[in-house]
Amino acid sequence: CQHLFCSPLGPSSVPRPILKWGQASDRDTPVKAKRQRRVAGSCDQEGTVELVGDGEGVGSAQLEEINNLLANDDQELIGDFSKPHLLPTVEGKDPALKYISPGTLEAVLTGHFSSFIESSIVVDCRYPYEYEGGHVKGAVNLPLQRDVEEFLLKQPIVSLDASKRVIIIFHCEFSVERGPKMCRFLRERDRSCHAYPQLHYPELYVLKGGYREFFFQFPSYCEPRDYRPMEHPAFKEELRKFRGQSR
């Protein structure tokens, strides 16, 4: 699957769960989430969905830092090779994927990249009982592949401003298995919808350390402010059911 992500410049009968949006609290974070659905589309007929996060603009020093990053000739290109990755990446388990730190996700949530991003979607790939026990504010719970196809490909999210980006950040509990696997799945399905190298979502990231690491570093950006592990003893039956569906 490595070729799905890397640029040419270098390597790099159980009921369906309800899809949920976590709504950011204005009291705890300066990011106010807005959602506006536009023309419906599909994997073959592109529609648009506007998901705009309003926050404070970046300061002059931050703007200069981001512009320097984008101007770096060594920066690898996103999936359609149109531009460099916006977010700074860190080393992760799968060299074919792009990982970001919890601190970078916090910067996205607080609007530090708002001059460059029109929509940032945090995809929580954990099971619903984990999500309900605590999740990143504004994250959408998509635990199964069919959920990802329904939410992201049936009506693709498209930037209405050509100068801004749509980025998707995947994670699970530790971002070791479920999150990276779902990220690869979306890229594979997205590729199958287009003539190479075009993509609906050329800029995908995985949150290194997953929800567990983010929660311990930035609990105020989680709601409820808690962490429920996948192997919680009170949810053994739910774990068994969702593992069966995931297969």
Side-chain angles (χ1 to χ4, degrees), residues 28-246:
D28 296 329
T29 173
V31 178
K32 298 179 182 178
K34 293 183 180 179
R35 297 196 302 276
Q36 179 180 352
R37 290 190 176 272
R38 298 276 175 124
V39 182
S42 67
C43 189
D44 298 316
Q45 181 178 1
E46 182 177 292
T48 64
V49 179
E50 183 180 7
L51 301 174
V52 181
D54 293 335
E56 296 296 330
V58 295
S60 58
Q62 293 169 325
L63 187 61
E64 182 179 358
E65 180 181 353
I66 294 171
N67 283 328
N68 289 338
L69 177 65
L70 296 177
N72 187 346
D73 290 339
D74 296 330
Q75 186 77 358
E76 292 185 18
L77 302 180
I78 60 177
D80 61 1
F81 314 137
S82 63
K83 57 179 72 74
H85 286 84
L86 173 65
L87 304 183
T89 58
V90 295
E91 185 177 353
K93 181 180 179 180
D94 188 339
L97 303 179
K98 297 300 179 185
Y99 291 79
I100 63 170
S101 69
T104 296
L105 175 55
E106 186 267 348
V108 171
L109 295 176
T110 53
H112 288 180
F113 294 91
S114 60
S115 295
F116 302 91
I117 297 175
E118 179 166 315
S119 303
S120 56
I121 302 95
V122 179
V123 176
D124 189 331
C125 301
R126 296 176 302 155
Y127 303 137
Y129 67 88
E130 297 174 83
Y131 177 88
E132 292 165 0
H135 57 269
V136 177
K137 289 181 179 181
V140 59
N141 187 210
L142 306 176
L144 303 175
Q145 291 181 351
R146 67 172 182 245
D147 299 330
V148 168
E149 289 190 282
E150 176 76 17
F151 189 85
L152 293 174
L153 293 176
K154 189 173 183 179
Q155 295 185 16
I157 300 166
V158 179
S159 176
L160 302 181
D161 183 342
S163 68
K164 291 192 174 185
R165 306 170 184 230
V166 173
I167 67 169
I168 303 180
I169 301 168
F170 290 86
H171 77 83
C172 52
E173 184 175 3
F174 305 104
S175 288
V176 171
E177 182 177 351
R178 291 176 290 175
K181 181 178 179 180
M182 201 69 80
C183 183
R184 291 191 296 267
F185 170 76
L186 176 61
R187 175 53 55 82
E188 181 180 344
R189 290 290 293 115
D190 201 355
R191 284 276 188 226
S192 71
C193 297
H194 299 86
Y196 186 86
Q198 297 175 356
L199 292 164
H200 285 310
Y201 305 109
E203 195 157 0
L204 308 180
Y205 299 96
V206 175
L207 174 63
K208 187 173 183 178
Y211 178 75
R212 182 181 185 278
E213 187 63 31
F214 184 84
F215 172 74
F216 286 128
Q217 291 190 33
F218 303 100
S220 64
Y221 290 93
C222 302
E223 59 181 7
R225 194 177 295 190
D226 203 354
Y227 161 45
R228 180 178 293 165
M230 181 182 73
E231 296 187 350
H232 192 289
F235 296 91
K236 290 182 179 180
E237 183 62 21
E238 286 87 345
L239 174 59
R240 184 188 67 80
K241 288 179 179 178
F242 277 100
R243 273 183 167 169
Q245 292 182 77
S246 297

